[in-house]
Amino acid sequence: MTENETTMGSNFITAIIETDLQANKNDGRLATRFPPEPNGYLHIGHAKSIFLNFGVANTYKGTCNLRFDDTNPSKEEVEYVDAIMEDVRWLGFDWDDRLHYASDYFVKLYDFAVRLIQAGKAYVDDLNADEIRKHRGTLTEPGKNSPWRNRSIEENLDLFQHMRAGAFEDGTRVLRAKIDMAHPNLIMRDPTLYRIRKTSHHRTGDQWCIYPMYDFTHCLSDSIEGITHSLCTLEFENNRPLYDWVLDNVDAPCHPRQIEFARLNLSYTVLSKRKLIQLVEEGRVSGWDDPRMPTICGLRRRGYPPAAIRNFCNRIGMAKRDSVVDVALLEYSVREYLNKRAPRVMGVLRPLKVVIENYPEGRVDELAAVNNPEDPAAGVRKVPFSREIYIERDDFMENPPKKFFRLGPGREVRLRYAFFVTCTDVIKDEKTGEVHELRCTYDPATRGGDAPDGRKVKATLHWVSAAHAVDAQVRLYDRLFDKANPDEKKAGKTYKDFINPDALEVLCGCKLEPCLAAAGPDYFCQFERMGYFCVDSKDSKPEALVFNRTVTLRDAWAKLKKKS
RNA sequence: UGGGGGAUCGUCUAAUGGUAGGACAGCGGACUCUGACUCCGCCAAUCAAGGUUCGAAUCCUUGUCCCUCAGCCA
């Protein structure tokens, strides 16, 4: 792990691991794996699993493999494989040479299946999917045996070989485990092990037309790789008896222990693959990497640092109960990290022109500004000041309410690192009444931002010199949904009805400090008093800068305004 | 309603028979050339009822509620 201040916090899984390690199980070895199916992009929920698996391996000097669970050729693509590897790496984890694919085990898996048949524990079923479902029974009624359940081992072997050879069409036959059609756990009612799929696979091409199912593949892949602790989410709890059954009934190299934990849910967010795909396909976002998306690539483009995501994963902990983590905790983690590292610059997002009437025309002051008050090593820069500047529209009110400390007619405020200025006149559009310029005077004695006479001012404003400003487009991002639980079933509404129309606001003609002219793809900073921003990795050009708002600063004033 | 799981401040999570703790959120204050940061304080929980025990979130009994499983998806 790089740049990580955190060690894995303790939880029920680390407790199990420590017990196993102390008991010298698996010769004191720890091996985990992160097993994504390459049929979509990784999201913050996967980050929790990645953090767990790699994190636990790191803290207990074990190993963590990356394994693609690619047993369904009709859903999986290389595009996803590449994206997943990029995302895991970006999150700060490394699998060294331990990159695996379940498809690499197809031959071994086939042999295991043959041995299962030879042991009389698997059979080829001629029932179709519909018939199998009807034989399965229900939650409360037992299932019925398939008429093909008692074929001879020889016939099963022959049929299975023919399945592999392509003698049968898709859906006409499957290989099933012979367990118990009356088992109270439906998963155990003769689960399907292999199905026929005459589809090319992204890695094995047309070598196979039968593909193993998850329950058969996963446990054996774990075993082949010598995994000691197989960590997965709660919905696989029902599958654990089958995981164990398969390993107990073939000559498996080892028997990993499966442990289930609760998947991550986040407020104001959806994390189901299906819904994320819909958002992309219906054009409700610009793509998988839209900065509003909870995907890893979306968060990356939004400017969320990987270390902040890791810290978040550590903070949310690990347990078995269903839970919904407040997205505010994620945002807190991002701010916490960025506060320490983001250089401070001034950027005026909604410019209001200010003319300093007693400041000489043509004159430019170079003022020293601190780059990062949290990091003295970041040093100081020069910022040009001149007669015409821009300030934030929200920093001026003609009729300020009680708690508004900023600029108003006749009021004096500080321009950060520059001078005290007093508003002397408000110039408005005659027709609309909209304020479009302010006239101020400045006090030359306050150069740098302090008054020699000790007088105080209630506000400090950020500003940019008009003549020196760099123009940019700024994209203000916010939560994608405006409802804490977008999945709440109510009055026929769906999560799509709760998409936040204000999750993206595009601002053009923003005025930035001249030092930002050279901001490249990986640049991030704090626009003082506005939030943390980063250069958009896709759309920003040197001559047309685009910034994304990563997250706002905490804003006590906004909170006050909201209350009244 | 069969099986498998789970219930601790608003949220997330600790405490494994011995003071229910932390974080986020919220509220209040201090500080401040960012209404930021930081610091301090406050608010606030063991699903319920019985039982065992000197002592129970923890052990037992009964009940309640929530999640999950009837893909040839993973």
Side-chain angles (χ1 to χ4, degrees):
Chain A
M1 268 188 271
T2 52
E3 230 181 333
N4 193 9
E5 306 82 355
T6 60
T7 43
M8 191 84 198
S10 66
N11 55 61
F12 80 102
I13 294 177
T14 58
I16 292 170
I17 288 172
E18 281 178 21
T19 306
D20 288 351
L21 254 22
Q22 274 157 24
N24 207 39
K25 272 193 193 170
N26 311 297
D27 307 316
R29 205 168 44 81
L30 172 72
T32 58
R33 95 277 91 113
F34 173 62
E37 183 190 11
N39 70 342
Y41 283 78
L42 260 27
H43 56 64
I44 183 80
H46 294 107
K48 176 180 181 181
S49 174
I50 292 167
F51 179 81
L52 203 220
N53 280 292
F54 282 94
V56 108
N58 279 343
T59 64
Y60 295 99
K61 307 222 181 327
T63 54
C64 180
N65 300 355
L66 175 63
R67 179 173 73 233
F68 288 99
D69 222 330
D70 55 350
T71 58
N72 186 351
S74 37
K75 286 169 62 184
E76 296 150 7
E77 293 171 30
V78 260
E79 176 201 347
Y80 296 124
V81 171
D82 296 339
I84 288 167
M85 289 199 280
E86 183 187 1
D87 289 347
V88 175
R89 222 176 263 129
W90 178 79
L91 279 170
F93 300 100
D94 188 6
W95 53 89
D96 294 318
D97 56 349
R98 299 180 308 276
L99 171 64
H100 302 287
Y101 295 82
S103 54
D104 287 346
Y105 309 136
F106 280 173
V107 173
K108 287 182 182 174
L109 260 19
Y110 180 85
D111 291 342
F112 279 124
V114 167
R115 269 173 271 164
L116 217 43
I117 296 170
Q118 286 167 336
K121 290 170 177 169
Y123 63 97
V124 172
D125 196 343
D126 295 6
L127 258 29
N128 64 35
D130 198 42
E131 292 163 330
I132 287 183
R133 177 159 24 88
K134 284 179 180 137
H135 279 75
R136 187 149 29 225
T138 68
L139 294 179
T140 48
E141 304 155 27
K144 293 191 297 268
N145 285 168
S146 164
W148 310 103
R149 196 173 198 262
N150 289 315
R151 293 213 242 232
S152 69
I153 288 171
E154 292 67 33
E155 191 184 0
N156 279 319
L157 247 17
D158 180 67
L159 250 15
F160 190 50
Q161 276 154 16
H162 277 85
M163 276 173 63
R164 182 192 184 170
F168 311 122
E169 293 314 305
D170 285 16
T172 55
R173 284 186 169 83
V174 291
L175 182 73
R176 291 230 253 169
K178 191 190 282 192
I179 304 179
D180 178 5
M181 286 308 291
H183 201 288
N185 180 353
L186 306 222
I187 299 277
M188 299 296 275
R189 321 245 258 229
D190 288 11
T192 302
L193 268 20
Y194 269 87
R195 77 288 216 185
I196 302 169
R197 272 263 206 299
K198 294 189 171 167
T199 309
S200 301
H201 184 277
H202 67 104
R203 299 197 85 238
T204 59
D206 295 319
Q207 284 175 47
W208 296 86
C209 63
I210 56 170
Y211 292 93
M213 300 284 291
Y214 165 85
D215 287 305
F216 188 65
T217 309
H218 201 89
C219 54
L220 286 168
S221 299
D222 281 347
S223 180
I224 289 165
E225 292 177 18
I227 300 302
T228 58
H229 300 262
S230 182
L231 314 178
C232 62
T233 45
L234 249 31
E235 68 270 25
F236 291 102
E237 214 155 19
N238 295 316
N239 301 52
R240 178 154 33 98
L242 181 50
Y243 185 103
D244 291 330
W245 184 93
V246 171
L247 295 179
D248 287 340
N249 285 280
V250 302
D251 189 19
C254 67
H255 194 137
R257 157 130 70 153
Q258 173 175 310
I259 305 166
E260 309 85 11
F261 60 91
R263 67 183 325 142
L264 172 67
N265 295 295
L266 256 193
S267 61
Y268 298 96
T269 312
V270 297
L271 289 179
S272 99
K273 224 176 240 183
R274 201 195 94 243
K275 286 172 189 149
L276 261 16
I277 287 172
Q278 276 178 10
L279 292 171
V280 173
E281 287 183 346
E282 295 175 11
R284 293 169 195 270
V285 293
S286 65
W288 288 102
D289 64 348
D290 186 300
R292 289 166 290 183
M293 290 283 276
T295 48
I296 302 300
C297 53
L299 299 177
R300 175 165 60 230
R301 195 169 163 197
R302 174 85 169 253
Y304 280 29
I309 296 174
R310 274 183 251 128
N311 286 337
F312 167 75
C313 290
N314 203 16
R315 264 194 260 261
I316 59 176
M318 199 61 66
K320 291 200 76 159
R321 75 184 81 117
D322 292 309
S323 60
V324 182
V325 174
D326 192 338
V327 74
L329 185 60
L330 214 209
E331 293 167 348
Y332 169 84
S333 301
V334 170
R335 287 193 191 102
E336 173 196 49
Y337 181 90
L338 257 15
N339 174 50
K340 293 273 188 287
R341 345 249 160 167
R344 269 60 167 178
V345 293
M346 293 192 283
V348 176
L349 270 27
R350 298 176 177 89
L352 174 61
K353 191 185 232 181
V354 176
V355 178
I356 319 240
E357 293 191 303
N358 61 339
Y359 191 92
E361 277 185 59
R363 180 166 143 193
V364 176
D365 265 272
E366 294 280 336
L367 300 160
V370 175
N371 284 330
N372 186 349
E374 303 287 325
D375 178 16
V380 170
R381 70 186 182 286
K382 294 283 190 193
V383 186
F385 182 87
S386 63
R387 186 178 148 91
E388 294 193 359
I389 61 166
Y390 294 107
I391 64 165
E392 207 68 52
R393 285 205 97 88
D394 287 353
D395 283 342
F396 173 82
M397 280 187 96
E398 202 175 4
N399 301 299
K402 255 210 163 55
K403 295 267 176 80
F404 187 85
F405 302 147
R406 282 109 93 146
L407 199 56
R411 287 198 186 191
E412 185 175 51
V413 297
R414 171 169 38 233
L415 294 177
R416 181 143 232 230
Y417 300 124
F419 300 95
F420 284 15
V421 293
T422 304
C423 177
T424 52
D425 204 4
V426 182
I427 298 177
K428 294 193 273 191
D429 187 291
E430 283 183 16
K431 284 179 198 147
T432 64
E434 189 197 352
V435 176
H436 69 90
E437 189 180 305
L438 259 31
R439 296 278 163 160
C440 291
T441 58
Y442 85 118
D443 177 358
T446 57
R447 191 178 195 278
D450 284 306
D453 64 4
R455 77 181 188 275
K456 298 284 183 205
V457 96
K458 292 200 84 171
T460 300
L461 271 40
H462 62 282
W463 54 274
V464 171
S465 164
H468 304 85
V470 175
D471 274 39
Q473 182 189 104
V474 175
R475 299 171 180 174
L476 267 20
Y477 289 103
D478 204 345
R479 298 165 180 182
L480 221 201
F481 296 92
D482 49 24
K483 199 169 198 306
N485 177 11
D487 286 319
E488 191 178 87
K489 290 167 191 75
K490 225 167 108 182
K493 295 201 169 191
T494 75
Y495 70 101
K496 290 177 199 170
D497 298 309
F498 302 119
I499 292 178
N500 177 9
D502 302 322
L504 169 59
E505 186 180 357
V506 179
L507 263 24
C508 295
C510 304
K511 304 293 184 181
L512 311 181
E513 247 184 69
C515 69
L516 255 14
D522 290 326
Y523 183 80
F524 65 97
C525 62
Q526 180 195 110
F527 289 165
E528 292 212 36
R529 307 206 303 134
M530 303 306 288
Y532 296 98
F533 293 79
C534 67
V535 169
D536 186 81
S537 55
K538 253 189 181 167
D539 299 334
S540 190
K541 307 258 165 10
E543 65 284 2
L545 294 173
V546 179
F547 280 83
N548 296 332
R549 181 172 69 195
T550 305
V551 64
T552 61
L553 259 26
R554 278 186 61 212
D555 190 345
W557 168 239
K559 210 179 277 178
L560 246 180
K561 260 199 307 190
K562 219 176 164 184
K563 257 196 273 181
S564 60

